[in-house]
Amino acid sequence: MSNSDRVVLALGGAGKVGSGIVKGLLDKGFKVAVISRDSSRLEKLRSFVSPNTKDNLTTIVGNVGSEEEAEQAKQALLKEVGKVTDIVSSLGFSWWQGGPPHTQSLKDLHWLLALHSWCVYVVFCCFATGGAGEKLLMPGTGFLTVGAASTLAFCHVLREEYPEVPCKLNQVKINTGVATPDHMAPGFLNHLDLGEAVAALIERRNTAHNVFTINCPADLKSVLLERNL
């Protein structure tokens, strides 16, 4: 199956990390579908991708945060594109710094777990995760770490539970910041470079059940692009 015959569902594709992945996939000739609750973010994404690839981008207003709404979004998507051959997830990991855990409510914890874990449950795919689940980023981010850790654990469970699953299941673990070209900082990844690297991983269909850890910009080339996948 050629890239042009493959339809990639990019969950979180309207976000900072996801938009880079969407552009990278479109530039490689994939058809890409993006679901978002915010129609304005979808319009911004359409204006961001390369003009000659816009016809290969399908956008759906919907929510994958609950089973019922995810099913509705799925049916709307299938009506538009007919099939989905690949899924990449860059959901969650919005910044949160609400304070120490003992000052937070159970409602706050439920919300962060829903953001980081429950959405991930709807897919088996190429996950883009981060290192926030293994360390406290700074004071006040405790619940962010709990939510991110649940995503890392979920990815690990899926790899172990389904070692022989026919579809690929890979994880790209990003242990540094990701920014757009106009907001770069030392050691950060350019979201366009990240998108190109993730698109290359998805293009290589013989790779499955691996974790690719990205600690710095140089890793994008050495870990994802040059590695014998």
Side-chain angles (χ1 to χ4, degrees), residues 98-179:
H102 78 278
T103 67
Q104 307 306 307
S105 69
L106 186 59
K107 181 179 179 181
D108 292 325
L109 180 58
H110 281 168
W111 179 80
L112 277 163
L113 287 174
L115 177 67
H116 290 279
S117 298
W118 299 349
C119 292
V120 175
Y121 185 66
V122 304
V123 294
F124 284 7
C125 55
C126 174
F127 293 98
T129 66
E134 297 178 325
K135 60 183 177 181
L136 189 70
L137 297 180
M138 61 180 61
T141 61
F143 274 12
L144 171 61
T145 298
V146 171
S150 68
T151 303
L152 292 177
F154 195 86
C155 292
H156 174 76
V157 167
L158 290 179
R159 290 196 311 274
E160 296 296 323
E161 285 274 12
Y162 303 99
E164 305 298 332
V165 69
C167 65
K168 295 194 309 178
L169 175 62
N170 292 305
Q171 177 184 353
V172 179
K173 184 181 174 189
I174 304 163
N175 289 335
T176 186
V178 179

Side-chain angles (χ1 to χ4, degrees), residues 30-159:
F30 289 93
K31 294 181 176 66
V32 182
V34 178
I35 299 172
S36 175
R37 292 171 293 184
D38 189 340
S39 60
S40 64
R41 297 185 74 183
L42 293 175
E43 287 300 319
K44 184 177 179 180
L45 176 66
R46 294 193 68 85
S47 65
F48 166 72
V49 302
S50 303
N52 62 325
T53 67
K54 285 184 179 180
D55 289 344
N56 286 333
L57 175 62
T58 298
T59 56
I60 301 289
V61 177
N63 180 21
V64 297
S66 71
E67 188 173 1
E68 181 180 352
E69 290 178 296
E71 181 62 28
Q72 293 173 356
K74 170 189 169 184
Q75 295 305 323
L77 174 64
L78 293 178
K79 184 177 180 179
E80 287 286 332
V81 302
K83 64 177 181 180
V84 171
T85 59
D86 304 84
I87 303 175
V88 57
S89 172
S90 58
L91 290 165
F93 294 95
S94 299
W95 184 256
W96 186 91
Q97 195 174 352
H102 78 278
T103 67
Q104 307 306 307
S105 69
L106 186 59
K107 181 179 179 181
D108 292 325
L109 180 58
H110 281 168
W111 179 80
L112 277 163
L113 287 174
L115 177 67
H116 290 279
S117 298
W118 299 349
C119 292
V120 175
Y121 185 66
V122 304
V123 294
F124 284 7
C125 55
C126 174
F127 293 98
T129 66
E134 297 178 325
K135 60 183 177 181
L136 189 70
L137 297 180
M138 61 180 61
T141 61
F143 274 12
L144 171 61
T145 298
V146 171
S150 68
T151 303
L152 292 177
F154 195 86
C155 292
H156 174 76
V157 167
L158 290 179
R159 290 196 311 274

